[in-house]
Amino acid sequence: MTDTTDIEGTTTEELVIEAREAQRSRRRKRIEIIGDHLRREWQLYVLLLPTIIWLLVFLYKPMYGLQIAFKDYSVFRGVAGSPWIGFEHFETLFNNDQFLRALRNTIYISFMSLLFGFPMPILLALMFNEILHQTFKKTAQTIVYLPHFISSVIIAGIVITAFSPSAGIVNTIMGWFGLDSIYFLTKPEWFRPIFVGTTIWQESGFQSIVYLAAIAGVSPTLYESAVVDGASRWQMMWKITLPSILPTIIIMLIIRIGNMLEVSFEMIILLYQPATYETADVVNTFIYRQGLQGGQYDLAAAAGLFNAVVAFVLVMSANSISKRYSRTSLW
């Protein structure tokens, strides 16, 4: 068999060998560059080492236990000794009315939080950017940032007190208008609005910092040019500020979509009760009851793995759509 020969008389086999040698040479060069960089900056990597160890021990090592979602797990047999049962736990989940209810509630609460909660930090950042009086601006920012730094237990206590049927401020105001008191936190239909509103109040101020930082990076010359052209404050906000921070908004939206099924577990646990399970029970509280309270670790692991897979699919889909239509993405 004869080798194919190009115009210069070089065979195909020789070309392949040359390409492989060039690839090996590039690989060796990259290794040398990385080695030189490590030798020069070794102090930085030593400082980074505790974080890497923490990630490996607390985030990656526990992933070994995910296999119990596919096993008939026994504490006495351990992870390795428990027998494999395939997707039986997932079939049990999707035949479990409580899990399906929790999944519906999670999707509904997450969607409402996204619909009403995601725009609020953007609106706050835009409003803060329009405040000219610096003392008032700093005071307002401090007030709206403060709830983020308050413990969820205290926030839940404030909410419970505010909506108390006897001494709560909400029922007191209702009494002024001759309305009967309502024990809001025992009413399934009121739990979702209260929870979503509480979450917005607690987190919106702190989340607005990201958008304020993005606004601070907008070139002042754009505003100066707009003023010369006679643009109003509203026009400058709509035509300059919002388009300039749009990439940041898209990135934050992708991250938010990826966390849609991660409803605030602590706040749900603190506010809900059996009377409101119908609308308050979410996937994370279902996992808590099944795993820690019921001892069904394998079933809880299956529910948690399902949650993680859905979150992964959501963030991948959101990133792909954003990359295709806006050319802005996480990667």
Side-chain angles (χ1 to χ4, degrees), residues 86-298:
F87 292 92
E88 185 175 319
H89 291 311
F90 294 93
E91 294 175 4
T92 302
L93 280 178
F94 289 104
N95 290 319
N96 188 314
D97 292 336
Q98 290 186 7
F99 176 76
L100 295 177
R101 179 189 64 189
L103 182 60
R104 285 194 302 269
N105 289 338
T106 302
I107 294 172
Y108 182 86
I109 292 174
S110 297
F111 177 76
M112 297 302 291
S113 297
L114 183 66
L115 182 63
F116 295 104
F118 182 75
M120 286 304 298
I122 303 171
L123 295 175
L124 281 173
L126 293 173
M127 287 190 290
F128 286 143
N129 188 56
E130 297 300 318
I131 298 176
L132 300 179
H133 194 285
Q134 290 302 311
T135 302
F136 177 76
K137 181 178 180 178
K138 292 178 181 178
T139 303
Q141 286 178 300
T142 302
I143 292 172
V144 297
Y145 295 167
L146 188 60
H148 172 81
F149 299 98
I150 300 177
S151 168
S152 295
V153 177
I154 298 175
I155 294 292
I158 293 172
V159 172
I160 292 171
T161 302
F163 288 95
S164 169
S166 57
I169 186 172
V170 176
N171 279 298
T172 300
I173 295 174
M174 289 173 59
W176 295 345
F177 296 95
L179 301 175
D180 295 332
S181 296
I182 301 175
Y183 198 169
F184 289 96
L185 292 176
T186 61
K187 303 292 183 181
E189 65 273 16
W190 281 104
F191 182 87
R192 290 167 177 170
I194 291 173
F195 174 79
V196 172
T198 301
T199 305
I200 293 173
W201 168 58
Q202 185 179 11
E203 298 296 338
S204 291
F206 187 76
Q207 291 172 358
S208 68
I209 295 175
V210 175
Y211 302 105
L212 280 170
I215 292 173
V218 180
S219 175
T221 57
L222 296 175
Y223 295 107
E224 293 169 0
S225 300
V227 171
V228 171
D229 292 336
S232 64
R233 298 294 299 180
W234 170 259
Q235 289 173 325
M236 285 189 286
M237 182 179 69
W238 187 253
K239 299 293 184 179
I240 298 176
T241 307
L242 273 176
S244 297
I245 67 172
L246 187 59
T248 303
I249 294 174
I250 292 174
I251 294 297
M252 297 303 293
L253 179 61
I254 293 171
I255 296 173
R256 185 69 176 267
I257 290 174
N259 292 327
M260 275 194 70
L261 296 187
E262 295 298 325
V263 179
S264 179
F265 170 76
E266 297 87 356
M267 191 61 67
I268 292 280
I269 285 290
L270 292 168
L271 292 180
Y272 87 153
Q273 49 190 296
T276 57
Y277 277 179
E278 179 185 344
T279 58
D281 194 23
V282 294
V283 173
N284 284 338
T285 54
F286 175 84
I287 293 171
Y288 168 75
R289 290 201 312 276
Q290 296 295 323
L292 294 182
Q293 293 184 334
Q296 295 180 289
Y297 304 109
D298 42 17

Side-chain angles (χ1 to χ4, degrees), residues 23-37:
Q23 187 177 9
R24 292 194 192 100
S25 177
R26 287 194 297 270
R27 189 181 298 115
R28 285 194 297 268
K29 189 173 182 180
R30 283 198 297 268
I31 292 173
E32 290 174 1
I33 292 173
I34 293 173
D36 291 340
H37 180 74

